[in-house]
Amino acid sequence: QIQVGDAKIPIITFQYGPDSDGLATVSSAEEEYLPIIKSSPKDYPEARISPSKLTQTVDTDGESWGIMSQFKTRINIKGKPAMDILGSAIHTYLGIDYAELEEVEQMTVARKIIKNWGMDTIVDPEEVVLAGQHLVEFLEKNYPGHKTYKEWPMSMRNQDGQVMQGWIDLLLETEAGYVIIDHKDYPGQDAIERAKKYTPQLKAYKEAVETATGRPVIDIIIHLPVSGLFLKLF
């Protein structure tokens, strides 16, 4: 017998061996205790997702991207490189504490990083260093006294039970709240239109930071070092 709560269900067991003539059959008059199985499988969302892979439309509450600041310099790209590799090279330099180095040291580090990524014939280290200096200038002008957290990890479970994990390129802590800055290597002229693609990713970062800290994210910014642009979600 199998007992489930107060119910006792009688069962019959069979043992089969090499000399068994056949399988025992169950009369259709006997009760069968089987779960009801749906004929079609259910689709479940992915267990883990990267914020950078989010593409669904999000409610922007009337927000739009606009130019917050613009430097009259660009990182000139020679040839047609793999933009993801070029972006990784520039990200690597912007991710180190280059502001603590002398300009000569910045040049040395930038040259090594660009060469290690195989981009030494594609961009000039001088222009990458200048982009980094412009970023420092932008931060000091707009967020004086901020604390800087580079490549800051984030993790959050969303309303669908999915775990979102990623890295915030640059997170600033100010007296008023946090600022999220994301570096993008996009070189095109339609940067504002392109920024819409990244809104879901940056909104996920915002939700994670505000949920974890209980403090507001006051600005969301896209930094385009190749174009010398800083876009803000207004």
Side-chain angles (χ1 to χ4, degrees):
Q1 289 184 334
I2 295 178
Q3 184 163 345
V4 180
D6 296 331
K8 295 182 178 180
I9 303 171
I11 63 171
I12 301 174
T13 60
F14 300 91
Q15 183 173 345
Y16 300 97
D19 300 327
S20 300
D21 294 331
L23 300 178
T25 57
V26 178
S27 170
S28 60
E30 296 186 42
E31 293 185 74
E32 298 180 21
Y33 300 93
L34 297 174
I36 298 175
I37 301 175
K38 295 182 179 180
S39 58
S40 59
K42 180 180 178 180
D43 291 330
Y44 292 91
E46 296 180 39
R48 296 178 180 273
I49 54 175
S50 171
S52 62
K53 302 300 182 183
L54 295 176
T55 57
Q56 71 266 27
T57 302
V58 297
D59 182 6
T60 59
D61 299 323
E63 297 167 319
S64 60
W65 289 97
I67 296 176
M68 184 178 179
S69 184
Q70 182 174 9
F71 290 90
K72 302 298 183 181
T73 58
R74 290 178 59 91
I75 296 177
N76 296 296
I77 301 173
K78 308 178 188 74
K80 297 182 179 179
M83 290 304 296
D84 56 338
I85 298 178
L86 176 59
S88 294
I90 297 173
H91 270 65
T92 300
Y93 178 75
L94 296 177
I96 67 172
D97 292 328
Y98 59 87
E100 304 299 323
L101 304 175
E102 297 293 335
E103 187 169 349
V104 174
E105 296 174 307
Q106 292 177 2
M107 282 292 303
T108 300
V109 172
R111 187 175 291 107
K112 288 181 178 179
I113 289 173
I114 293 170
K115 184 175 181 180
N116 287 343
W117 282 99
M119 294 287 111
D120 47 319
T121 62
I122 304 300
V123 293
D124 292 328
E126 293 87 350
E127 295 178 351
V128 175
V129 168
L130 185 58
Q133 292 171 349
H134 285 164
L135 174 58
V136 172
E137 181 181 337
F138 170 82
L139 299 181
E140 291 178 347
K141 176 182 177 181
N142 292 279
Y143 307 102
H146 66 271
K147 293 182 179 179
T148 301
Y149 305 97
K150 295 187 176 184
E151 299 298 329
W152 197 254
M154 62 79 63
S155 180
M156 178 182 69
R157 190 179 297 276
N158 65 15
Q159 60 184 6
D160 296 323
Q162 297 172 292
V163 175
M164 290 197 294
Q165 293 179 312
W167 300 83
I168 301 174
D169 290 341
L170 183 57
L171 181 66
L172 308 182
E173 184 178 6
T174 72
E175 291 184 0
Y178 290 94
V179 179
I180 292 172
I181 300 177
D182 198 62
H183 307 305
K184 298 297 184 187
D185 57 278
Y186 184 65
Q189 300 297 323
D190 57 338
I192 292 178
E193 184 65 27
R194 179 77 172 194
K196 297 177 182 178
K197 172 184 176 181
Y198 308 122
T199 303
Q201 172 190 0
L202 299 177
K203 283 283 193 176
Y205 290 162
K206 177 179 185 290
E207 183 181 356
V209 171
E210 292 183 337
T211 301
T213 65
R215 301 186 65 208
V217 170
I218 59 174
D219 282 331
I220 297 177
I221 296 169
I222 291 177
H223 173 216
L224 296 139
V226 173
S227 305
L229 284 174
F230 290 87
L231 304 182
K232 177 181 175 180
L233 188 60
F234 289 96

